[in-house]
Amino acid sequence: MAKKQRAKLVVGNWKMNGSIAENDTLLNGLVQRAATLESRVLLGVCVPYPYLAQVQMQLTGTPIAYGVQDVSAYTHGAYTGDVSARMVAEFGVTLAIVGHSERRTLHTESSKLVAAKAQRALEANIIPIVCVGETLDERRAGQTNTVIHAQLTAVLDTLDKDHVARLIVAYEPVWAIGTGQSATAQQAQQVHAVLRKQLTTRGGIRVPLLYGGSVKPDNAEELFSQVDIDGGLIGGASLSEIDFLAISAGSL
Ligand code: PGA
């Protein structure tokens, strides 16, 4: 009997984009056409907080999961502007991106803080998508493996084994995000293999590893066919129903 292929996971990261009207069109299109994808691909969208009520309304009862792009490192209290994992869980959120490079850079988030955020998400029954990735300078200096290893180690050192087993990890080379210059399938696979080894050693199981950074309909299939790439985290292209679905179809 042929070995059953694991379902691929394709998650959209809307970043700070959208409006109620635009979201309505995009979500309706996704819901209608998601049914045409086989069950071997799972879809999700991570949206700005103000749209949680909308996605809850439009996606509840559909196969499309939804989530947020960050959560607070704290549970509650005097943290003006923060939003806790428990709050978003009340909207049926099941996914939370943590440690995206835009937050690490623009909001100077450390790997330790990212680890605390991952922990808060898991405590609220939300699966964190932990992002790791090197800058172009770090890659050129031959530090890619060291950088991503250290970013992931901070998270693995904070979480207990049960929580590690529930993680999703996304490799997003900083130089590939929003630049149109994706990592090659070989470059991505190489780093995914390193992450896989590190995770297997620490958690003992196979957690989903997503690739992110300029994934488009024309490179998705090759990226997703790599042995250690379990799907993608899609930024710009997730705002187009046609592109997002074409990328998802590329994972089949
Ligand atoms: P991109 O972004 O697909 O627009 O490169 C990916 C991400 O930042 O998650």
Side-chain angles (χ1 to χ4, degrees), residues 49 69-73 82 97-118 131 151:
Y49 298 126
Q69 301 164 17
D70 186 36
V71 289
S72 175
D82 271 20
I97 297 171
V98 294
H100 190 281
S101 66
E102 284 150 18
R103 295 209 61 87
R104 290 182 190 259
T105 310
L106 303 171
H107 299 272
T108 57
E109 291 192 3
S110 67
S111 291
K112 217 169 152 214
L113 186 82
V114 172
K117 290 181 171 201
C131 299
Q151 288 173 340

Side-chain angles (χ1 to χ4, degrees), residues 8-11 192 209-212 224 229-234 251:
K8 298 281 182 187
L9 176 62
V10 180
V11 179
H192 279 232
L209 295 180
L210 310 184
Y211 168 78
F224 296 166
I229 300 185
D230 302 312
L233 184 56
I234 320 300
S251 73

Side-chain angles (χ1 to χ4, degrees), residues 43-61:
L43 296 186
V45 288
C46 290
V47 307
Y49 298 126
Y51 301 134
L52 280 180
Q54 183 182 23
V55 289
Q56 182 180 34
M57 203 162 68
Q58 294 194 231
L59 295 183
T60 300

Side-chain angles (χ1 to χ4, degrees), residues 13 15 100 102 172 176-179 212-216 233-237:
N13 171 14
K15 310 199 180 190
H100 190 281
E102 284 150 18
E172 295 208 314
I177 295 176
T179 58
S214 297
V215 180
K216 301 279 183 272
L233 184 56
I234 320 300

